[in-house]
Amino acid sequence: MQADLPLADPRPDRVAVADQVVLLRGFVATAPLREAIATIERSAPFRHLATPGGGRMSVAMTNAGAVGWHSDENGYRYVDVDPLTGAPWPAMPAAFADLARRAAAAAGHRDFVPDCALVNRYVPGAQMGTHRDFDERDLGQPIVSVSIGLPATFVWYGATRGDPPRPVPVMDGDVLVWGGRARAGYHGVRRLRAGADPTAVRHNLTFRRAR
Ligand code: MD3
Ligand code: FE
């Protein structure tokens, strides 16, 4: 019955973006995640971190979990106390840890137990320049990223900055998992475009095993 099909989304729900980079489309319902972020930011507010180069990030960040990612004039590192408040980071919500473990498992990584949920907040105009993440102790552990809110374009390069960029559109509820050699790859996020609702934002949860 072809007439019943037009509402179905023809996009596959699982895409191999590159070797060891898996996109799980619509993997999670995000309303409970937004609630959890609202709770986290009451004790650990979003802030625009300083970079070692003297700039300030356009993306605002906070963390939940035993350790949090931090940047200032002295460099990038994980810290177990929030430098802004002097208090430990808010505990990782059980729903976050469960989601990260399920997504990692769906991409073939068993027993992923993150100790850091880095929460990124993008308003229209914010972007994340090309970089790679290697401050984590065991690069054999995967990274799980969850997109919430406005759509964005994630850009995957690969082993070097000079590799051809591979744009990956990510939408609310999409989850990306990196492991193996892809774990050390270069990536970034293009400047966020405003949605129909000018107050709308994008959040991204990045689950890491830092220690
Ligand atoms: C791939 N965040 O916080 S998703 C980051 O959408 C970051 O906010 C982006 O890059 C965002 O560092 C992209 C996550 C991501 C994080 C770490 C990775 C992708 C990765 C490490 C290796 C490969
Ligand atoms: Fe990153």
mmCIF file of all heavy atoms in Angstrom, residues 19-50:
data_model
loop_
_atom_site.group_PDB
_atom_site.id
_atom_site.type_symbol
_atom_site.label_atom_id
_atom_site.label_comp_id
_atom_site.label_asym_id
_atom_site.label_seq_id
_atom_site.Cartn_x
_atom_site.Cartn_y
_atom_site.Cartn_z
ATOM 1 N N ASP A 19 35.322 4.551 8.716
ATOM 2 C CA ASP A 19 35.710 3.381 9.500
ATOM 3 C C ASP A 19 35.647 3.736 10.986
ATOM 4 O O ASP A 19 36.257 4.713 11.417
ATOM 5 C CB ASP A 19 37.130 2.959 9.101
ATOM 6 C CG ASP A 19 37.564 1.688 9.824
ATOM 7 O OD1 ASP A 19 36.704 0.798 10.018
ATOM 8 O OD2 ASP A 19 38.733 1.596 10.211
ATOM 9 N N GLN A 20 34.867 2.996 11.759
ATOM 10 C CA GLN A 20 34.749 3.194 13.214
ATOM 11 C C GLN A 20 34.046 4.495 13.606
ATOM 12 O O GLN A 20 34.217 4.996 14.717
ATOM 13 C CB GLN A 20 36.121 3.125 13.885
ATOM 14 C CG GLN A 20 36.774 1.764 13.756
ATOM 15 C CD GLN A 20 36.487 0.877 14.945
ATOM 16 O OE1 GLN A 20 35.363 0.844 15.435
ATOM 17 N NE2 GLN A 20 37.498 0.178 15.413
ATOM 18 N N VAL A 21 33.287 5.102 12.673
ATOM 19 C CA VAL A 21 32.431 6.245 12.992
ATOM 20 C C VAL A 21 31.006 5.854 12.609
ATOM 21 O O VAL A 21 30.713 5.679 11.425
ATOM 22 C CB VAL A 21 32.832 7.528 12.231
ATOM 23 C CG1 VAL A 21 31.946 8.695 12.654
ATOM 24 C CG2 VAL A 21 34.305 7.856 12.433
ATOM 25 N N VAL A 22 30.143 5.703 13.602
ATOM 26 C CA VAL A 22 28.784 5.229 13.356
ATOM 27 C C VAL A 22 27.782 6.307 13.764
ATOM 28 O O VAL A 22 27.858 6.847 14.869
ATOM 29 C CB VAL A 22 28.503 3.935 14.156
ATOM 30 C CG1 VAL A 22 27.076 3.450 13.907
ATOM 31 C CG2 VAL A 22 29.497 2.844 13.783
ATOM 32 N N LEU A 23 26.857 6.618 12.860
ATOM 33 C CA LEU A 23 25.772 7.548 13.164
ATOM 34 C C LEU A 23 24.496 6.746 13.409
ATOM 35 O O LEU A 23 24.074 5.974 12.542
ATOM 36 C CB LEU A 23 25.575 8.517 11.984
ATOM 37 C CG LEU A 23 24.339 9.419 12.006
ATOM 38 C CD1 LEU A 23 24.354 10.353 13.221
ATOM 39 C CD2 LEU A 23 24.266 10.245 10.716
ATOM 40 N N LEU A 24 23.919 6.911 14.594
ATOM 41 C CA LEU A 24 22.662 6.253 14.975
ATOM 42 C C LEU A 24 21.585 7.325 14.955
ATOM 43 O O LEU A 24 21.487 8.146 15.871
ATOM 44 C CB LEU A 24 22.798 5.629 16.366
ATOM 45 C CG LEU A 24 23.961 4.654 16.559
ATOM 46 C CD1 LEU A 24 24.174 4.348 18.044
ATOM 47 C CD2 LEU A 24 23.717 3.362 15.782
ATOM 48 N N ARG A 25 20.818 7.349 13.872
ATOM 49 C CA ARG A 25 19.836 8.427 13.715
ATOM 50 C C ARG A 25 18.610 8.191 14.579
ATOM 51 O O ARG A 25 18.078 7.073 14.626
ATOM 52 C CB ARG A 25 19.401 8.519 12.257
ATOM 53 C CG ARG A 25 20.431 9.155 11.364
ATOM 54 C CD ARG A 25 19.728 9.579 10.084
ATOM 55 N NE ARG A 25 20.637 10.212 9.161
ATOM 56 C CZ ARG A 25 20.918 9.722 7.963
ATOM 57 N NH1 ARG A 25 20.390 8.595 7.567
ATOM 58 N NH2 ARG A 25 21.728 10.381 7.179
ATOM 59 N N GLY A 26 18.157 9.251 15.242
ATOM 60 C CA GLY A 26 16.948 9.160 16.054
ATOM 61 C C GLY A 26 17.059 8.108 17.137
ATOM 62 O O GLY A 26 16.078 7.461 17.485
ATOM 63 N N PHE A 27 18.246 7.972 17.698
ATOM 64 C CA PHE A 27 18.492 6.898 18.674
ATOM 65 C C PHE A 27 17.809 7.179 20.005
ATOM 66 O O PHE A 27 17.471 6.260 20.739
ATOM 67 C CB PHE A 27 19.999 6.755 18.884
ATOM 68 C CG PHE A 27 20.419 5.576 19.718
ATOM 69 C CD1 PHE A 27 20.497 4.310 19.156
ATOM 70 C CD2 PHE A 27 20.750 5.724 21.056
ATOM 71 C CE1 PHE A 27 20.899 3.215 19.911
ATOM 72 C CE2 PHE A 27 21.152 4.635 21.825
ATOM 73 C CZ PHE A 27 21.217 3.380 21.243
ATOM 74 N N VAL A 28 17.589 8.462 20.333
ATOM 75 C CA VAL A 28 17.091 8.794 21.673
ATOM 76 C C VAL A 28 16.056 9.921 21.611
ATOM 77 O O VAL A 28 16.162 10.830 20.784
ATOM 78 C CB VAL A 28 18.277 9.172 22.600
ATOM 79 C CG1 VAL A 28 18.991 10.411 22.103
ATOM 80 C CG2 VAL A 28 17.828 9.338 24.047
ATOM 81 N N ALA A 29 15.048 9.818 22.483
ATOM 82 C CA ALA A 29 14.079 10.908 22.676
ATOM 83 C C ALA A 29 14.724 11.934 23.605
ATOM 84 O O ALA A 29 15.218 11.587 24.688
ATOM 85 C CB ALA A 29 12.797 10.363 23.293
ATOM 86 N N THR A 30 14.759 13.207 23.176
ATOM 87 C CA THR A 30 15.621 14.160 23.879
ATOM 88 C C THR A 30 14.942 14.976 24.976
ATOM 89 O O THR A 30 15.640 15.663 25.721
ATOM 90 C CB THR A 30 16.280 15.128 22.875
ATOM 91 O OG1 THR A 30 15.253 15.803 22.147
ATOM 92 C CG2 THR A 30 17.196 14.382 21.914
ATOM 93 N N ALA A 31 13.615 14.931 25.102
ATOM 94 C CA ALA A 31 12.957 15.765 26.132
ATOM 95 C C ALA A 31 13.526 15.496 27.534
ATOM 96 O O ALA A 31 13.850 16.447 28.260
ATOM 97 C CB ALA A 31 11.448 15.576 26.091
ATOM 98 N N PRO A 32 13.695 14.234 27.944
ATOM 99 C CA PRO A 32 14.270 13.993 29.279
ATOM 100 C C PRO A 32 15.715 14.480 29.393
ATOM 101 O O PRO A 32 16.159 14.863 30.480
ATOM 102 C CB PRO A 32 14.211 12.463 29.423
ATOM 103 C CG PRO A 32 13.246 11.990 28.389
ATOM 104 C CD PRO A 32 13.301 12.978 27.269
ATOM 105 N N LEU A 33 16.438 14.474 28.279
ATOM 106 C CA LEU A 33 17.829 14.944 28.310
ATOM 107 C C LEU A 33 17.870 16.452 28.532
ATOM 108 O O LEU A 33 18.722 16.969 29.259
ATOM 109 C CB LEU A 33 18.549 14.582 27.006
ATOM 110 C CG LEU A 33 18.543 13.100 26.617
ATOM 111 C CD1 LEU A 33 19.301 12.884 25.301
ATOM 112 C CD2 LEU A 33 19.166 12.241 27.721
ATOM 113 N N ARG A 34 16.931 17.176 27.905
ATOM 114 C CA ARG A 34 16.863 18.634 28.127
ATOM 115 C C ARG A 34 16.548 18.943 29.578
ATOM 116 O O ARG A 34 17.093 19.892 30.156
ATOM 117 C CB ARG A 34 15.769 19.257 27.256
ATOM 118 C CG ARG A 34 16.017 19.182 25.769
ATOM 119 C CD ARG A 34 14.723 19.611 25.062
ATOM 120 N NE ARG A 34 14.638 19.059 23.730
ATOM 121 C CZ ARG A 34 14.912 19.745 22.631
ATOM 122 N NH1 ARG A 34 15.255 21.001 22.703
ATOM 123 N NH2 ARG A 34 14.815 19.168 21.452
ATOM 124 N N GLU A 35 15.673 18.159 30.172
ATOM 125 C CA GLU A 35 15.351 18.337 31.598
ATOM 126 C C GLU A 35 16.598 18.151 32.442
ATOM 127 O O GLU A 35 16.877 18.915 33.368
ATOM 128 C CB GLU A 35 14.298 17.313 32.038
ATOM 129 C CG GLU A 35 12.925 17.518 31.414
ATOM 130 C CD GLU A 35 12.241 18.738 32.007
ATOM 131 O OE1 GLU A 35 12.324 18.928 33.243
ATOM 132 O OE2 GLU A 35 11.635 19.504 31.224
ATOM 133 N N ALA A 36 17.358 17.106 32.126
ATOM 134 C CA ALA A 36 18.573 16.822 32.895
ATOM 135 C C ALA A 36 19.594 17.946 32.736
ATOM 136 O O ALA A 36 20.259 18.332 33.705
ATOM 137 C CB ALA A 36 19.171 15.483 32.451
ATOM 138 N N ILE A 37 19.698 18.500 31.523
ATOM 139 C CA ILE A 37 20.636 19.613 31.299
ATOM 140 C C ILE A 37 20.209 20.824 32.124
ATOM 141 O O ILE A 37 21.050 21.509 32.729
ATOM 142 C CB ILE A 37 20.727 19.962 29.794
ATOM 143 C CG1 ILE A 37 21.395 18.820 29.023
ATOM 144 C CG2 ILE A 37 21.482 21.278 29.588
ATOM 145 C CD1 ILE A 37 21.291 18.937 27.503
ATOM 146 N N ALA A 38 18.911 21.084 32.186
ATOM 147 C CA ALA A 38 18.414 22.226 32.974
ATOM 148 C C ALA A 38 18.794 22.060 34.443
ATOM 149 O O ALA A 38 19.143 23.039 35.123
ATOM 150 C CB ALA A 38 16.899 22.361 32.809
ATOM 151 N N THR A 39 18.743 20.833 34.936
ATOM 152 C CA THR A 39 19.137 20.575 36.328
ATOM 153 C C THR A 39 20.649 20.773 36.507
ATOM 154 O O THR A 39 21.095 21.413 37.463
ATOM 155 C CB THR A 39 18.747 19.135 36.726
ATOM 156 O OG1 THR A 39 17.331 19.001 36.573
ATOM 157 C CG2 THR A 39 19.124 18.837 38.167
ATOM 158 N N ILE A 40 21.436 20.253 35.580
ATOM 159 C CA ILE A 40 22.897 20.385 35.660
ATOM 160 C C ILE A 40 23.302 21.856 35.689
ATOM 161 O O ILE A 40 24.116 22.282 36.514
ATOM 162 C CB ILE A 40 23.569 19.665 34.467
ATOM 163 C CG1 ILE A 40 23.424 18.151 34.612
ATOM 164 C CG2 ILE A 40 25.033 20.069 34.325
ATOM 165 C CD1 ILE A 40 23.710 17.365 33.336
ATOM 166 N N GLU A 41 22.688 22.659 34.818
ATOM 167 C CA GLU A 41 23.156 24.047 34.714
ATOM 168 C C GLU A 41 22.753 24.901 35.898
ATOM 169 O O GLU A 41 23.311 25.976 36.107
ATOM 170 C CB GLU A 41 22.736 24.682 33.385
ATOM 171 C CG GLU A 41 21.288 25.017 33.245
ATOM 172 C CD GLU A 41 21.023 25.773 31.933
ATOM 173 O OE1 GLU A 41 21.603 26.853 31.729
ATOM 174 O OE2 GLU A 41 20.221 25.266 31.121
ATOM 175 N N ARG A 42 21.819 24.396 36.723
ATOM 176 C CA ARG A 42 21.510 25.144 37.952
ATOM 177 C C ARG A 42 22.676 25.108 38.932
ATOM 178 O O ARG A 42 22.910 26.069 39.649
ATOM 179 C CB ARG A 42 20.232 24.598 38.613
ATOM 180 C CG ARG A 42 18.957 25.127 37.952
ATOM 181 C CD ARG A 42 17.738 24.956 38.826
ATOM 182 N NE ARG A 42 17.267 23.583 38.835
ATOM 183 C CZ ARG A 42 16.441 23.063 37.928
ATOM 184 N NH1 ARG A 42 15.985 23.810 36.926
ATOM 185 N NH2 ARG A 42 16.059 21.812 38.021
ATOM 186 N N SER A 43 23.441 24.019 38.969
ATOM 187 C CA SER A 43 24.605 23.995 39.874
ATOM 188 C C SER A 43 25.937 24.232 39.153
ATOM 189 O O SER A 43 26.906 24.669 39.773
ATOM 190 C CB SER A 43 24.642 22.703 40.688
ATOM 191 O OG SER A 43 24.384 21.586 39.889
ATOM 192 N N ALA A 44 25.995 23.949 37.878
ATOM 193 C CA ALA A 44 27.224 24.180 37.105
ATOM 194 C C ALA A 44 26.846 24.964 35.846
ATOM 195 O O ALA A 44 26.568 24.365 34.802
ATOM 196 C CB ALA A 44 27.896 22.853 36.750
ATOM 197 N N PRO A 45 26.799 26.294 35.941
ATOM 198 C CA PRO A 45 26.302 27.098 34.823
ATOM 199 C C PRO A 45 27.161 26.955 33.556
ATOM 200 O O PRO A 45 28.363 26.698 33.647
ATOM 201 C CB PRO A 45 26.387 28.538 35.351
ATOM 202 C CG PRO A 45 26.493 28.427 36.831
ATOM 203 C CD PRO A 45 27.154 27.110 37.108
ATOM 204 N N PHE A 46 26.518 27.140 32.410
ATOM 205 C CA PHE A 46 27.268 27.220 31.156
ATOM 206 C C PHE A 46 28.203 28.417 31.213
ATOM 207 O O PHE A 46 27.850 29.467 31.740
ATOM 208 C CB PHE A 46 26.306 27.369 29.974
ATOM 209 C CG PHE A 46 25.658 26.081 29.568
ATOM 210 C CD1 PHE A 46 24.359 25.778 29.960
ATOM 211 C CD2 PHE A 46 26.348 25.154 28.800
ATOM 212 C CE1 PHE A 46 23.760 24.583 29.598
ATOM 213 C CE2 PHE A 46 25.745 23.959 28.425
ATOM 214 C CZ PHE A 46 24.456 23.668 28.813
ATOM 215 N N ARG A 47 29.401 28.227 30.627
ATOM 216 C CA ARG A 47 30.376 29.309 30.559
ATOM 217 C C ARG A 47 31.171 29.198 29.258
ATOM 218 O O ARG A 47 31.329 28.104 28.712
ATOM 219 C CB ARG A 47 31.286 29.315 31.790
ATOM 220 C CG ARG A 47 32.442 28.323 31.845
ATOM 221 C CD ARG A 47 32.066 26.866 32.014
ATOM 222 N NE ARG A 47 31.150 26.511 33.083
ATOM 223 C CZ ARG A 47 31.527 26.017 34.264
ATOM 224 N NH1 ARG A 47 32.799 25.848 34.527
ATOM 225 N NH2 ARG A 47 30.630 25.650 35.145
ATOM 226 N N HIS A 48 31.654 30.372 28.793
ATOM 227 C CA HIS A 48 32.476 30.406 27.583
ATOM 228 C C HIS A 48 33.928 30.348 28.027
ATOM 229 O O HIS A 48 34.468 31.332 28.535
ATOM 230 C CB HIS A 48 32.192 31.676 26.777
ATOM 231 C CG HIS A 48 30.802 31.729 26.221
ATOM 232 N ND1 HIS A 48 30.479 31.176 25.004
ATOM 233 C CD2 HIS A 48 29.648 32.219 26.732
ATOM 234 C CE1 HIS A 48 29.183 31.340 24.781
ATOM 235 N NE2 HIS A 48 28.651 31.976 25.815
ATOM 236 N N LEU A 49 34.558 29.188 27.852
ATOM 237 C CA LEU A 49 35.910 28.975 28.370
ATOM 238 C C LEU A 49 36.946 29.750 27.566
ATOM 239 O O LEU A 49 36.805 29.943 26.348
ATOM 240 C CB LEU A 49 36.237 27.484 28.338
ATOM 241 C CG LEU A 49 35.408 26.622 29.296
ATOM 242 C CD1 LEU A 49 35.628 25.141 29.001
ATOM 243 C CD2 LEU A 49 35.733 26.943 30.754
ATOM 244 N N ALA A 50 37.987 30.169 28.278
ATOM 245 C CA ALA A 50 39.144 30.791 27.627
ATOM 246 C C ALA A 50 39.993 29.694 27.008
ATOM 247 O O ALA A 50 40.017 28.563 27.497
ATOM 248 C CB ALA A 50 39.947 31.573 28.650
#
